[in-house]
Amino acid sequence: MSKKKGLSAEEKRTRMMEIFFETKDVFQLKDLEKIAPKEKGITSMSVKEVLQSLVDDSMVDCERIVTSNYYWVFPSKALHARKRKLEALESQLSEGSQKHASLQESIEKAKIGRCEMEERTMLAKELSSLRDQREQLKAEVEKYKDCDPQVVEEIRQANKVAKEAANRWTDNIFAIKSWAKRKFAFEENKIDKTFGIPEDFDYID
């Protein structure tokens, strides 16, 4: 046969309160140590501890008279004490829910941050491509220096467009680097190293 499960702390508290409600009497500890085991199944060894927890929560009143402690309960006071306890628990629950919502919001913002960092990586690749195109155009200009002036002018204009585009992307890179430093307290050299940004990264003259 399995051993009978003992009462939980809350069950003991509830049954102890039943003694006071049912009898509407005043007790000494020694009285309750006799009544509680017999009528409510609370072991005599735990009566003092249960009583003290109820006193601490203002559910049971206790007064020392001469050399003995006397315990009693005013039903209305016990009801108010339970109500205050419930309100405190509800407040804690509400606070926990708010913290959960705040944490969830932070998680969502972090996800957005990761997306923006991925976008920054794409911008860096696009900038690199534009720089390569510009170098090719510069080479074309050098190649056609002595050729038809109209052809050379067209190449120069294309080079100008590429330069402006590259500098716009450079603007974007600097803006996102600045955001990452503020948002995540990253050091600039760490950002550069992580995303392969060269030390001499700057606008094109």
Side-chain angles (χ1 to χ4, degrees), residues 96-110:
S97 297
Q98 290 176 2
K99 288 182 179 179
H100 178 271
S102 177
L103 178 59
Q104 190 63 39
E105 183 179 350
S106 297
I107 291 171
E108 293 303 320
K109 286 182 179 179

Side-chain angles (χ1 to χ4, degrees), residues 9-63:
E10 193 57 37
E11 286 173 330
K12 290 177 183 178
R13 284 162 54 93
T14 299
R15 294 191 182 193
M16 185 68 72
M17 291 299 294
E18 288 174 355
I19 295 174
F20 288 102
F21 288 143
E22 291 167 0
T23 62
K24 298 180 178 63
D25 205 348
V26 177
F27 300 96
Q28 288 183 270
L29 176 61
K30 62 182 181 180
D31 300 325
L32 291 168
E33 286 176 337
K34 294 177 182 178
I35 297 170
K38 182 179 179 181
E39 296 187 8
K40 299 298 179 180
I42 303 171
T43 60
S44 58
M45 295 288 289
S46 62
V47 167
K48 185 176 181 179
E49 180 183 353
V50 174
L51 268 177
Q52 189 58 51
S53 74
L54 292 169
V55 171
D56 292 341
D57 287 345
S58 300
M59 301 286 288
V60 171
D61 285 293
C62 176
E63 186 73 32

Side-chain angles (χ1 to χ4, degrees), residues 119-188:
E119 180 183 0
R120 198 214 61 78
T121 303
M122 293 175 63
L123 290 176
K125 291 180 179 178
E126 184 69 22
L127 177 61
S128 176
S129 175
L130 287 168
R131 286 179 180 274
D132 291 342
Q133 291 179 29
R134 179 174 177 274
E135 292 303 318
Q136 291 175 7
L137 289 167
K138 285 175 66 176
E140 288 292 317
V141 170
E142 292 297 321
K143 182 178 177 181
Y144 288 99
K145 270 184 178 179
D146 299 323
C147 295
D148 186 282
Q150 184 177 352
V151 174
V152 173
E153 182 59 24
E154 289 176 358
I155 294 173
R156 288 186 185 278
Q157 288 299 321
N159 183 55
K160 181 181 178 181
V161 171
K163 174 184 173 181
E164 290 174 351
N167 283 335
R168 281 197 303 273
W169 286 113
T170 301
D171 268 336
N172 291 335
I173 297 297
F174 280 135
I176 293 178
K177 280 178 64 177
S178 177
W179 174 86
K181 285 163 64 179
R182 291 196 311 272
K183 183 72 176 177
F184 302 105
F186 288 164
E187 295 179 0
E188 186 168 349

